[in-house]
Amino acid sequence: MGFDALLGNERLKENLTESLAKGHISHCYLISGPEGSGKRTLARLLAAAILCQGRDKPCGVCTPCRKVLDGNHPDYIIVDDPEKKTVPVELIRQARADMFIQPNESDHKIYQFPRAQDMGLPGQNALLKVLEEPPAYGVFLLLADNPDKLLPTVRSRCTELKMQALPPDILRKQLRVDFPKADPEDIETAVTRSGALLGQARTLLTQGAQVSPQTEQFVEAFAGRDALLLTQTLVPMEKWKRETLTETLQQWLSLLEGALMRRSGGEAVSALSRELAQRRTAAELYSGVTTLKKALDYTMSNVSPAAVCGWLCWELR
């Protein structure tokens, strides 16, 4: 198995394979790269390789490998609270204290920080104390979209692994496997707009393919300038929870932004965006984008869903 599950990044994978074969394991790895570049995939494979009991690390077959890949190995700990904008410093302090408790069933104990750039200065300083003198079995995996947000003293104690964009032909081939029913034009647009990053390309294609009935009705109403259908779409949404309304409005905004890009000479992943671009002018699309952004601001500012939907009925008519 090795690191084959990670596409591209051949030199990085070769270096890791060679180091692991020699038994060289860093106490701290900084895995850096844009969102969607494969940082989490590499971190999971690296954790499996460090704990692997097979020969071709990670073998993907031994018990430690399977536990890591399934997300239930007791010595592979994720340190994060996705509900918080900044990783709570208390979580980092808990991880620091727990690091000095011997591993449960392996020779190493691994702590992964999926949002290292969001630790904040107090959190980074708390982590730095254990990075300076870690126990022999301790390993830290810091994942960062923007490694420049980390303190120089933290970065200096890390072995940095920089993720690279994929060659377009490799990305295109994988997207055809992941989205066999996708329009070829959508595949090509995702390759271009994603910056050759697999995660971002998958997100673009998923957003373009999976839309709610309300979103389909919105596109039909907005594209056809049908104020009655728009009202019939929005009125039932007045009773929605704020989180559900926000998610749907973000989907509408994404479609209008894609349509505006198409109108401006770019490409749009979604067929619905292309339809909107054909039937509305650039000025109308821009106005719709501005309106939806304001609606999202209102929603996040605790304006009631009913008030937001009523306002949209008037502004988008």
Side-chain angles (χ1 to χ4, degrees), residues 145-314:
D145 297 342
N146 184 0
D148 290 336
K149 289 187 176 181
L150 295 176
L151 292 170
T153 46
V154 171
R155 292 188 68 174
S156 67
R157 287 165 173 78
C158 300
T159 297
E160 186 164 2
L161 307 175
K162 296 182 180 181
M163 307 300 296
Q164 302 295 324
L166 296 178
D169 56 332
I170 293 179
L171 176 57
R172 189 177 295 112
K173 181 179 179 180
Q174 185 61 43
L175 292 177
R176 288 170 180 163
V177 172
D178 294 344
F179 300 89
K181 297 182 180 180
D183 188 300
E185 182 178 352
D186 292 346
I187 294 286
E188 292 302 318
T189 301
V191 170
T192 302
R193 288 185 54 190
S194 67
L197 300 173
L198 178 59
Q200 293 191 22
R202 282 172 170 164
T203 297
L204 287 168
L205 287 170
T206 299
Q207 290 176 343
Q210 299 178 358
V211 296
S212 65
Q214 290 80 13
T215 296
E216 292 180 345
Q217 291 175 0
F218 164 73
V219 170
E220 182 180 351
F222 190 80
R225 297 178 174 81
D226 189 333
L228 176 60
L229 179 57
L230 180 64
T231 301
Q232 292 172 337
T233 302
L234 282 163
V235 168
M237 294 168 59
E238 293 180 351
K239 299 179 181 180
W240 284 11
K241 291 183 178 180
R242 192 181 311 278
E243 295 77 12
T244 305
L245 178 62
T246 298
E247 183 178 345
T248 298
L249 294 184
Q250 287 175 334
Q251 193 172 71
W252 294 6
L253 176 61
S254 178
L255 288 173
L256 287 186
E257 288 177 335
L260 185 58
M261 180 176 292
R262 176 82 170 189
R263 265 286 184 178
S264 302
E267 297 296 335
V269 172
S270 171
L272 293 177
S273 286
R274 294 196 288 272
E275 179 182 352
L276 285 165
Q278 288 178 344
R279 300 174 64 182
R280 298 299 294 256
T281 66
E284 290 169 336
L285 292 169
Y286 179 77
S287 176
V289 166
T290 302
T291 299
L292 285 171
K293 285 183 177 180
K294 287 183 179 179
L296 283 166
D297 286 341
Y298 292 151
T299 303
M300 296 175 184
S301 300
N302 291 325
V303 177
S304 71
V308 171
C309 290
W311 181 77
L312 282 173
C313 284
W314 176 260

Side-chain angles (χ1 to χ4, degrees), residues 38-94:
K39 296 188 298 298
R40 286 177 172 78
T41 298
L42 176 57
R44 188 170 61 252
L45 291 172
L46 179 55
I50 291 171
L51 302 180
C52 180
Q53 296 175 345
R55 298 184 63 181
D56 183 18
K57 302 180 184 297
C59 68
V61 178
C62 69
T63 298
C65 273
R66 292 201 306 270
K67 285 186 175 182
V68 169
L69 297 177
D70 290 341
N72 56 18
H73 197 296
D75 295 320
Y76 177 43
I77 300 104
I78 307 297
V79 184
D80 194 15
D81 183 351
E83 300 296 324
K84 305 292 185 181
K85 184 176 181 180
T86 302
V87 182
V89 65
E90 188 56 37
L91 281 182
I92 300 170
R93 288 172 179 157
Q94 290 172 7

Side-chain angles (χ1 to χ4, degrees), residues 101-122:
I101 300 175
Q102 293 284 332
N104 289 277
E105 57 186 56
S106 299
D107 293 332
H108 291 87
K109 201 170 186 180
I110 303 171
Y111 291 82
Q112 178 175 317
F113 295 77
R115 298 185 296 138
Q117 74 278 347
D118 295 332
M119 287 192 293
L121 291 180

